[in-house]
Amino acid sequence: MVQSSMTPTKTIFKLAAGLVEFNVTFLTPIKPEDFVQQSIPFSYLYVDGFTSTDSQPHSIQIYCDILAEWAAADLDAVVTWNTSSEQRMIYHRINRGSPEVDRNWNCSNLTYQAGNADSTMRAQFIDSGVLDNSLNQSSKTVKDPNSDMDWLVFSFAVDLGTLSSTSRPDPVLWAIGIVEDSLVTYPLPPSSRVAYYWTKYLNDASVISNFLENFPSALNRSLEFDSEIMTAANKISSNYTEILSLVTRQIFASMEITVARNNDNSLDTSKTRIFMKDMGSTK
């Protein structure tokens, strides 16, 4: 790692791979005035800013995966999965009971693989720079009970072509999120409560597609939001700016904006409630 920085909405790493440097940015959109957008439990990961430190051309391929542990903390839990293609995106969906994890990519020159061990897929990418587009449709435990090393993963790889003085690869964009059907069981009727964004979207594919399409505006909003927060914080102290850069995303991530789901499955926005997760501060 060359360097790192943090803002209220972003964590940015400048990395080096051989003689190529690039930025990896984790962006969590924050838009408190828009309950639909704020309630979507997704974040962006994008890679850009490719530069050659020796001014020579370099061929670039990028690999990324997630563990099935995203869907189940119990390592002996069985998860199922499928991979879907919708318009300009391909995404992995990993399930264990009610929780669902979506992992998706919006990019050309893409290869993918699902349901194999991390050691297998990572070694394949290192050897060839691509994945084999196999899905291995089945169900498995999060971790191989017969191995101390093998974890179930879901992967993407992209060939960005050649970086040169006249050609720079386009940025690469991912999104990751957890989709749940029911968030809270409320003590008063109607007891079932779901995330507010379901008042706009019909299925998870439409959520993912819209989230990816909104990336340019989300990035611009994050720059404005960061500037506003950090300018105000700097008037107090630089230490306060650093604190807000650390905790802002955690504060908003702890909140669930919900609406009531009636017995006929209709959603009632007149009964909007926001719940905050217990982050371990109570006894």
Side-chain angles (χ1 to χ4, degrees), residues 166-190:
T166 59
S167 176
R168 175 175 292 188
D170 292 331
V172 177
L173 174 65
W174 290 272
I176 187 168
I178 297 178
V179 178
E180 297 179 276
D181 181 44
S182 181
L183 292 177
V184 177
T185 300
Y186 198 55
L188 299 176

Side-chain angles (χ1 to χ4, degrees), residues 71-204:
D74 180 359
L75 302 187
D76 295 322
V78 174
V79 298
T80 61
W81 62 87
N82 61 62
T83 298
S84 302
S85 176
E86 300 275 348
Q87 298 177 353
R88 295 174 57 228
M89 67 180 184
I90 295 176
Y91 61 95
H92 295 310
R93 182 190 289 112
I94 310 106
N95 301 280
R96 183 206 177 190
S98 296
E100 182 174 281
V101 177
D102 286 303
R103 174 76 172 80
N104 57 76
W105 183 299
N106 187 13
C107 191
S108 60
N109 301 321
L110 168 71
T111 55
Y112 54 87
Q113 203 163 333
N116 288 324
D118 55 345
S119 57
T120 300
M121 285 196 266
R122 292 170 186 174
Q124 178 177 324
F125 175 78
I126 291 171
D127 289 341
S128 63
V130 297
L131 299 172
D132 64 11
N133 293 344
S134 64
L135 301 181
N136 192 18
Q137 297 281 4
S138 64
S139 60
K140 293 181 180 179
T141 57
V142 173
K143 184 177 181 297
D144 186 342
N146 300 315
S147 171
D148 293 332
M149 301 293 293
D150 290 338
W151 296 74
L152 183 63
V153 296
F154 305 86
S155 308
F156 291 106
V158 63
D159 187 346
L160 295 177
T162 300
L163 168 66
S164 68
S165 59
T166 59
S167 176
R168 175 175 292 188
D170 292 331
V172 177
L173 174 65
W174 290 272
I176 187 168
I178 297 178
V179 178
E180 297 179 276
D181 181 44
S182 181
L183 292 177
V184 177
T185 300
Y186 198 55
L188 299 176
S191 60
S192 178
R193 305 197 66 84
V194 300
Y196 195 97
Y197 65 86
W198 288 121
T199 62
K200 178 177 179 180
Y201 301 106
L202 297 177
N203 52 54
D204 53 359

Side-chain angles (χ1 to χ4, degrees), residues 16 18-21 51-56 58 163:
L19 296 173
V20 174
E21 293 184 351
T51 59
S52 170
T53 58
D54 65 351
S55 301
Q56 297 299 310
H58 296 279
L163 168 66

Side-chain angles (χ1 to χ4, degrees), residues 209-230:
S209 177
N210 188 256
F211 187 76
L212 289 170
E213 290 172 356
N214 282 342
F215 173 71
S217 60
L219 180 58
N220 289 333
R221 284 199 312 271
S222 75
L223 295 173
E224 295 172 359
F225 187 86
D226 287 345
S227 177
E228 182 179 348
I229 294 294
M230 296 174 75

